[in-house]
Amino acid sequence: MSDYQVTDIFFDLDHTLWDFEKNSALTFAKILAHHKVQVDLNVFLEVYSPINLQMWALYRENQISKSELRYQRLKQTFDALRVHVSDEVINRLAHDYIAHLSSFTHLLPNTVPTLEYLFPKYKLHIITNGFQEVQTKKLKGSSIDHYFQKVIDSEMAGVKKPDPYIFELALDMAQVPPQRSLMIGDNLEADILGAKAIGMQVLHYNFHNDPDHGICTMINDLIEIKNIL
């Protein structure tokens, strides 16, 4: 960290605190069985995961809408697997995925011990590109909502990370200057470069095993934060 004293810490949610991969897999296991879609879950997830990341990148860049994101990530997965699923069923799956996703509550390793360590010392907040109705349920369902003072999402801001406005809105809501703020997230472009561009301090949680980039400190386990702050 810099010479400035950090007072406020802003976390990303998915892939940083909330175990998106595990919870998403459990959701798909439930809804694919319910809709009697005959596909091997592990094979489905192997194909779906990179497509989902590509769709989110397009969504961040405003190239596709929320509804297109939800439909296309499933449509392209089934097409790649050469499994015929009607548009009607795809749309039902897309709806049910959002409806059930937040009912699973697994967190990434050491999330609670890390938050317990930070909570008495810093003001904690969330900045997420996730959808408002889902992210709120995730925080409450995982019993970590009480750690955070402000939760800023892209639907509230009208823009998505790495757009500077969502970070500026978060700082304004928390009433803290960027120099005293730390952004912790898994996405180099959205979280790290986006926050750094407006003067926030940054810490990269290397969930995706990205190569060392030299932009900021990288950690592989949330508990490492205790050695930094």
Side-chain angles (χ1 to χ4, degrees):
M1 300 301 101
S2 75
D3 293 334
Y4 290 101
Q5 181 184 359
V6 171
T7 59
D8 291 64
I9 301 175
F10 296 81
F11 281 95
D12 177 45
L13 184 55
D14 295 337
H15 301 115
T16 301
L17 301 175
W18 197 77
D19 194 338
F20 180 87
E21 299 300 331
K22 180 180 287 187
N23 294 322
S24 180
L26 291 167
T27 305
F28 276 122
K30 179 175 183 174
I31 66 174
L32 289 170
H34 176 75
H35 289 283
K36 298 180 172 57
V37 177
Q38 301 298 317
V39 62
D40 181 277
L41 179 63
N42 291 328
V43 174
F44 172 86
L45 293 172
E46 186 176 341
V47 174
Y48 171 84
S49 292
I51 290 174
N52 184 45
L53 289 174
Q54 292 168 7
M55 292 297 103
W56 270 100
L58 293 173
Y59 178 68
R60 282 198 305 271
E61 296 162 5
N62 295 313
Q63 295 186 39
I64 60 173
S65 66
K66 179 167 68 172
S67 60
E68 288 171 325
L69 163 69
R70 292 175 173 178
Y71 171 82
Q72 285 295 336
R73 60 188 178 184
L74 291 171
K75 172 65 173 172
Q76 291 185 28
T77 298
F78 290 128
D79 286 351
L81 293 171
R82 297 183 178 179
V83 175
H84 176 71
V85 180
S86 69
D87 280 354
E88 180 182 1
V89 172
I90 289 177
N91 285 323
R92 287 179 181 173
L93 287 167
H95 173 272
D96 288 356
Y97 178 77
I98 298 301
H100 293 289
L101 181 61
S102 58
S103 67
F104 296 97
T105 59
H106 293 282
L107 299 169
L108 286 166
N110 290 314
T111 290
V112 171
T114 301
L115 293 176
E116 280 290 316
Y117 169 77
L118 296 173
F119 184 67
K121 304 177 181 183
Y122 303 93
K123 296 175 182 177
L124 307 181
H125 316 282
I126 294 285
I127 307 178
T128 173
N129 276 353
F131 306 126
Q132 189 170 23
E133 76 273 20
V134 181
Q135 302 303 73
T136 300
K137 291 179 181 177
K138 288 177 183 177
L139 288 166
K140 290 182 178 178
S142 301
S143 300
I144 59 172
D145 56 309
H146 64 283
Y147 290 111
F148 302 102
Q149 294 194 12
K150 303 294 181 183
V151 178
I152 298 89
D153 64 79
S154 56
E155 291 186 308
M156 173 195 302
V159 297
K160 310 168 194 73
K161 296 178 294 184
D163 191 295
Y165 179 73
I166 192 170
F167 296 103
E168 292 165 354
L169 175 63
L171 295 174
D172 184 59
M173 289 178 63
Q175 296 185 310
V176 60
Q179 298 89 346
R180 292 186 176 272
S181 303
L182 172 65
M183 179 71 203
I184 302 174
D186 69 288
N187 189 287
L188 178 59
E189 178 187 6
D191 298 314
I192 306 307
L193 296 178
K196 188 177 177 65
I198 68 158
M200 296 177 71
Q201 300 181 61
V202 288
L203 182 61
H204 188 177
Y205 175 51
N206 194 15
F207 177 84
H208 304 284
N209 294 315
D210 294 326
D212 187 15
H213 45 61
I215 295 169
C216 66
T217 299
M218 300 174 75
I219 59 172
N220 296 303
D221 190 310
L222 291 171
I223 207 67
E224 294 176 52
I225 293 172
K226 293 176 69 172
N227 298 324
I228 298 172
L229 295 172

